[in-house]
Amino acid sequence: MVGAGVLGLPFAMSQLGWISGILAITVSWMTTLYSLWQLVELHEVVPGKRFDRYPQLGEHAFGVKLGYWIVMPQQLTVQIASDIVYMVTGGKSLKKFVELTFPRLMPLRQTLYIVFFAFIHLVLSQAPNFHSLRGISLLAAIMSFSYSAIAFVASTIKGTHHHPVRYGVRSHTTAGVIFDVFSGLGTIAFAFAGHSVVLEIQATIPSSPEKPSRKPMWKGVIVAYIIVALCYFSVAISGFWAFGDSVEDDVLVSLEEPRWLIAAANFMVFLHVIGSYQVFAMPVFDLIESVLIQKLKFNPGRALRLIARSTYVALTGFIGICIPFFGGLLGFFGGLVFASTSYFLPCVMWLIIKKPKSWSFHWIASWVAIIVGVLIMILAPIGGARQIALSAKQYKFFS
C-alpha cells in the first residue's frame, strides 16, 4: 500500500498549505479505506463465486460488455501509469544514491539510470506469477516503511535547525495557486493506488464458507492502512515543516544530510519500486498474453512471454525517459484514473449490487466518496498537465 507516492506528499502540502493539505490526506485515507472495504466484501458477494479481477466485478455490476469496458481500461491505465512513474522513480533514486555515495564519480545522465532500471525488469518480468515474486514483494514492503521512516527522521532533524522557511503555498498568482491545488489533490490520490490490484491479491487467499477470504484480507487491510497513516502523515508533515514551499517533488531529493542515511533511503526506494513495478505489471502481463493467445491465436510458451513482457517493459521505460517529471506525473495520473478506481468506482458498484436504503450509512458514505472522487478526477489532471508543461520547458530530451 505504501508506494513511492508518499515521497510526493510534502510537495502536495506545499501546493495546498497546512490545513488544506492535512485535511486532503485525511479525507483520502478515510474514503479509500471505506472503498477498499467494499471491494473486499464484494469479492465473494455471489455465493460460491469469486471475482478475482476488477473487470469481473465490473461485469457483475454493470453487465458483461459494459462492465468490462468501464473497468478494464481504467484499471489498465492505473497499472501502466504506476509502472511509468516507478520507472522514473527507480532511475531518479538510483542516480541520487550513486551521487551521494560516490561524489567523485563522473555524473551520468538520468536516462542511463532509467535504462538500467528497465533492464532489471526485463529479467524479473519473466517470473510466471505473483507467488514467484513474494520474496521481492516482502522486501519492497520493508523498504517502503524504512525509507518513509528515514524521510521523517531526517526532515524532523532538518526542521529543528533554525533556517528561513516559508509555509505559504508555492505559487504567487491566483491562477497558479488554483492549478497547484488541483495538482496537489492528484498527487495525494496517486498515493492511494492499491485498489487496482486488491482483488487479484485476495484471489491468492484460500476461501471456504466457514473461512471466507474477506476475513483475513480485511485484517491485512487494517494493518496496511495503519502503516499507511503512520508513513503518509509523518512524511508529509515533517517534509513540509523542514523545507516549506521550496520542497522538491521528491522529498528525498531535498534532503542531503546525513549523506549516508539519505543515500541509504534512496537505495531503499530503488529496491521498493523494483517490487512495486512487478506487482502492477503482473495483471498487465496476464491481459496481454490472454489477448495474444485467445484473440490472435499465438502459441503460449516462453517465447511469447519473453517478447510480450519485454515489449511492455521497454515501452514504459521509453515513456519514463521522455517524461521524467515525478511531481507532474503524480498529479496527472492520480486524478485521471486513480481517483476513479480507488475513490468512487467501488462505491458505484456497491450501490448497484447491494442496493442500500436511501439515507442509510452506506448510501450516504458511498455518495460522499463518489462526489469527492469525481471532483478529483476532473480537476487534478488539469493541474498535473500544467505541472508537466512547466517542467518540460526546462527539460532536454534524453538528458
Side-chain angles (χ1 to χ4, degrees), residues 18-335:
W18 275 119
I19 297 175
S20 299
I22 293 174
L23 180 63
I25 296 173
T26 302
V27 170
S28 292
W29 187 88
M30 295 173 63
T31 302
T32 55
L33 176 60
Y34 176 69
S35 63
L36 192 49
W37 172 80
Q38 291 177 319
L39 284 179
V40 171
E41 290 292 313
L42 292 174
H43 181 76
E44 295 175 279
V45 67
V46 177
K49 185 176 181 179
R50 303 180 72 177
F51 297 107
D52 294 341
R53 300 286 186 272
Y54 214 148
Q56 291 176 359
L57 184 59
E59 291 172 1
H60 178 69
F62 302 109
V64 176
K65 288 187 177 181
L66 181 62
Y68 180 81
W69 289 108
I70 287 177
V71 178
M72 187 277 292
Q74 295 188 68
Q75 184 192 31
L76 189 63
T77 306
V78 165
Q79 291 159 346
I80 296 172
S82 298
D83 284 339
I84 292 170
V85 172
Y86 290 146
M87 277 287 179
V88 175
T89 310
K92 198 172 185 178
S93 299
L94 184 60
K95 183 176 186 288
K96 181 77 172 180
F97 166 75
V98 172
E99 290 175 349
L100 289 172
T101 308
F102 308 101
R104 297 181 180 178
L105 194 67
M106 184 182 71
L108 298 176
R109 293 177 297 171
Q110 182 171 299
T111 296
L112 297 177
Y113 288 100
I114 296 177
V115 169
F116 177 74
F117 186 78
F119 177 78
I120 292 173
H121 287 291
L122 289 175
V123 177
L124 292 179
S125 64
Q126 300 309 306
N129 51 45
F130 269 125
H131 273 298
S132 59
L133 294 170
R134 59 187 179 274
I136 294 176
S137 296
L138 176 60
L139 176 65
I142 295 171
M143 292 298 100
S144 64
F145 183 78
S146 299
Y147 69 66
S148 296
I150 291 173
F152 165 64
V153 172
S155 295
T156 302
I157 294 172
K158 176 75 173 177
T160 56
H161 298 155
H162 296 289
H163 60 287
V165 174
R166 200 176 78 93
Y167 292 117
V169 291
R170 301 183 73 89
S171 184
H172 303 290
T173 66
T174 302
V177 170
I178 293 172
F179 283 119
D180 278 354
V181 168
F182 294 169
S183 181
L185 293 174
T187 298
I188 293 171
F190 189 96
F192 296 91
H195 294 58
S196 65
V197 292
V198 68
L199 293 178
E200 284 85 347
I201 293 172
Q202 189 170 348
T204 67
I205 299 176
S207 184
S208 65
E210 297 78 23
K211 296 181 179 180
S213 64
R214 69 177 182 273
K215 292 184 177 181
M217 187 66 184
W218 179 239
K219 290 179 181 178
V221 168
I222 291 296
V223 173
Y225 257 69
I226 290 173
I227 296 174
V228 163
L230 290 173
C231 292
Y232 285 16
F233 284 101
S234 63
V235 172
I237 293 172
S238 64
F240 186 47
W241 180 52
F243 299 100
D245 59 11
S246 63
V247 67
E248 297 284 346
D249 57 6
D250 178 344
V251 69
L252 290 179
V253 174
S254 294
L255 291 164
E256 296 287 346
E257 299 292 339
R259 181 179 290 268
W260 66 270
L261 189 62
I262 305 306
N266 276 279
F267 191 67
M268 289 175 182
V269 175
F270 170 72
L271 293 177
H272 170 237
V273 294
I274 287 177
S276 296
Y277 182 98
Q278 289 297 319
V279 168
F280 281 92
M282 275 293 173
V284 183
F285 294 155
D286 183 54
L287 176 65
I288 292 172
E289 290 168 15
S290 296
V291 171
L292 290 175
I293 294 169
Q294 297 173 10
K295 303 291 185 182
L296 302 179
K297 307 303 179 183
F298 279 77
N299 294 322
R302 289 185 179 179
L304 177 66
R305 182 193 301 172
L306 177 64
I307 296 171
R309 297 186 179 191
S310 297
T311 302
Y312 173 79
V313 171
L315 285 173
T316 54
F318 179 74
I319 297 172
I321 290 170
C322 292
I323 318 174
F325 312 124
F326 183 71
L329 289 173
L330 293 186
F332 181 76
F333 286 130

Side-chain angles (χ1 to χ4, degrees), residues 315-398:
L315 285 173
T316 54
F318 179 74
I319 297 172
I321 290 170
C322 292
I323 318 174
F325 312 124
F326 183 71
L329 289 173
L330 293 186
F332 181 76
F333 286 130
L336 186 65
V337 282
F338 286 73
S340 173
T341 55
S342 296
Y343 285 71
F344 69 85
L345 191 56
C347 301
V348 173
M349 292 192 288
W350 182 272
L351 292 174
I352 293 173
I353 296 171
K354 289 288 191 176
K355 296 179 174 60
K357 291 183 179 180
S358 298
W359 305 109
S360 64
F361 171 78
H362 289 296
W363 188 89
I364 294 173
S366 294
W367 275 109
V368 169
I370 291 170
I371 293 170
V372 170
V374 169
L375 287 174
I376 295 174
M377 184 182 69
I378 294 171
L379 301 177
I382 299 172
R386 176 179 177 270
Q387 189 75 35
I388 292 173
L390 292 175
S391 300
K393 288 182 179 180
Q394 301 174 347
Y395 176 67
K396 186 177 180 181
F397 281 102
F398 307 112

